Amino acid sequence: MKKNKIQALRGMKDQLPIDITCYQKIERILKQVINSYGFSKIRLPIVEKTSLFKRAIGSVTDVTEKEMYTFQDRNGESITLRPEGTAGCVRAGIEHGILYHQEQRLWYIGPMFRYERPQKGRYRQFYQVGAEVFGLKGPNIDAELILMTARCWKLLGISHYLRLELNSIGSLETRKKYHNILISFLRNHITLLDKDCKDRIYSNPLRILDSKNPHIQELLKDLPPLKDYLDIESSHHFLGLCDQLDIAGIPYHINQRLVRGLDYYNRTVFEWTTNSLGAQGTICSGGRYDDLVEELGGTSTPAVGFAIGLERLALLVRNFNSIPIPNQIIDVYLITKGEKQNNLGLILSEQLRDNIPDLKLIRNSCEGSLKKHFTHAMKLGARFVIIINKDTEGAEELILKDFLNNTQKNIEKTNACSILTTLLRMHLTTHDISI
Ligand code: HAM
């Protein structure tokens, strides 16, 4: 009897070879840009103590209240699959003493886990590329991070579809003051609030500002804006950031309602959003978190960062075919017919791999028709097929077929390796090999 198939968990997506070429191309561009701004890569554990996220993200946030994958390990300790990268990065920085009294620019890539309702662009396991800067408190670095992301969008050909939303939520004291204003305003309109807002009114009233409910947004029009309560330093910081973006020619939209869903932010918060992906249009988000290092037990260190959601970015790139995605998995397909020819093929392919380390080559002995192999080679995107066959006198014969120019020629056997090496090297310098 046929057994039941086991399927992937809801919201956990497989990335098949056909997807991977797109992801690798995007990741290569992001990495190139991030490196060019002087960042070093850090690799962090996927699981951390639950208390880390509760303390960093805030215990009254959607992420910690509803979305974390939290388990007990065999020792009874509560551990959590990371829902984001900032908390782990700060924890590691403090633990290894690499934040104190120094400037640190770190970036990471990897899966994050949130138990959210899956839909297009929203998954329970998703990938982020994140960047965090420690030790710099002025607005220059906020601007530089935004410029870095803008450069990524330019190279990915998607600048036209993205819009930068910017806000300042001020200092902790600013927010405390504003909380009181907000609470008394909301209490005066309590009958008009939805359940979500009522739940948040005392625990996290600021989050009500970015409620998706249009009635709430209408109601909030009468609320005095947070910017009127900003502390003087935060106002200067924000003006400094806006100035720098103006100088660099980066358009932005100040969104007074942008407060972000994680509690660690202060001053600058930003999001890059698109209208082209439906409800899940935030591609990248971040901001300042000057109090988090101290909150997690380190010495007070200013910090700012962002994370890009890779699945959403890939959806956007694919939506607009904004960069060429290579469909080429190999360069050369080598076919041999006969045992002696097979041995020659083995030696030749290893020599070619020695000579050209970037070469992507598949070797196959010819079972079935040559036509079948040609079709396979084309499907893998090969430009060349090398056929090692027997000629009419029984000697080996080497043929090079070029799919691109639709030509075919015999290669002299004694010099085959050096002739092919020169030819293939020439080909490899003219196409994108390092996907
Ligand atoms: P976040 O806004 O929670 O911020 O997530 C960053 C990005 O991850 C989002 O803009 C979105 O593109 C993507 N993302 C979030 N949740 C999902 C999901 N369920 N499925 C697919 N993509 C998703 C943070 O995580 C902060 N740690 C960013 C940061 C770094 N702030 C300062 N430094």
Side-chain angles (χ1 to χ4, degrees), residues 84 86 114 116 121 123 128 132 260 264-265 282-283 285 305:
E84 58 102 55
T86 310
R114 291 184 197 176
E116 290 188 86
Y123 311 102
Q128 281 187 350
E132 316 286 355
R260 308 274 302 118
Y264 46 64
Y265 293 108
T282 308
I283 298 288
S285 29

Side-chain angles (χ1 to χ4, degrees), residues 77-88:
E77 176 152 40
S78 181
I79 58 172
T80 295
L81 295 181
R82 61 183 184 193
E84 58 102 55
T86 310

Side-chain angles (χ1 to χ4, degrees), residues 223-423:
L223 174 78
L226 192 145
K227 80 170 168 32
D228 293 353
Y229 297 86
L230 274 193
D231 53 289
I232 192 90
E233 290 86 0
S234 296
S235 288
H236 280 145
H237 189 100
F238 193 58
L239 285 176
L241 168 61
C242 293
D243 266 356
Q244 297 234 339
L245 294 177
D246 291 336
I247 290 165
I250 302 286
Y252 53 88
H253 169 76
I254 298 177
N255 176 355
Q256 311 262 356
R257 303 266 181 262
L258 180 68
V259 289
R260 308 274 302 118
L262 314 165
D263 270 3
Y264 46 64
Y265 293 108
N266 67 307
R267 292 194 176 162
T268 312
V269 287
F270 67 91
E271 289 186 352
W272 286 97
T273 60
T274 178
N275 291 326
S276 313
L277 295 183
Q280 302 307 320
T282 308
I283 298 288
C284 165
S285 29
R288 227 166 225 285
Y289 49 96
D290 295 322
D291 303 313
L292 185 60
V293 177
E294 199 172 9
E295 181 57 36
L296 294 180
T299 309
S300 173
T301 306
V304 55
F306 67 80
I308 300 170
L310 276 181
E311 286 80 359
R312 293 182 192 179
L313 188 57
L315 278 172
L316 198 61
V317 165
R318 280 189 169 154
N319 215 2
F320 294 104
N321 281 324
S322 61
I323 45 165
I325 305 296
N327 61 356
Q328 183 227 5
I329 295 169
I330 57 163
D331 304 300
V332 180
Y333 193 100
L334 188 147
I335 317 167
T336 60
K337 208 154 191 173
E339 198 185 325
K340 217 164 134 204
Q341 289 71 17
N342 193 31
N343 297 344
L344 182 64
L346 184 145
I347 291 167
L348 182 63
S349 49
E350 287 307 298
Q351 280 173 337
L352 289 174
R353 288 186 179 112
D354 283 343
N355 293 351
I356 319 172
D358 282 329
L359 184 71
K360 286 170 261 162
L361 180 151
I362 278 186
R363 181 172 67 92
N364 254 327
S365 61
C366 188
E367 289 150 20
S369 71
L370 262 183
K371 196 165 160 236
K372 193 186 94 189
H373 283 279
F374 286 170
T375 312
H376 188 202
M378 274 195 244
K379 214 169 144 196
L380 295 172
R383 156 97 186 255
F384 299 104
V385 173
I386 301 171
I387 307 149
I388 310 183
N389 216 337
K390 242 187 267 179
D391 69 12
T392 41
E393 269 122 60
E396 292 89 49
E397 171 187 72
L398 248 118
I399 298 164
L400 180 74
K401 195 172 164 60
D402 181 343
F403 278 139
L404 187 67
N405 298 326
N406 202 13
T407 54
Q408 175 167 320
K409 64 174 164 194
N410 280 46
I411 305 280
E412 193 197 324
K413 201 183 96 188
T414 40
N415 269 333
C417 185
S418 74
I419 295 170
L420 286 168
T421 301
T422 315
L423 225 146

Side-chain angles (χ1 to χ4, degrees), residues 1 40 85 90 105 165 187 192 269 325 339 349 355 357 361:
M1 205 176 84
S40 310
V90 172
R105 294 172 182 232
E165 311 254 342
R187 276 208 328 230
L192 303 173
V269 287
I325 305 296
E339 198 185 325
S349 49
N355 293 351
L361 180 151

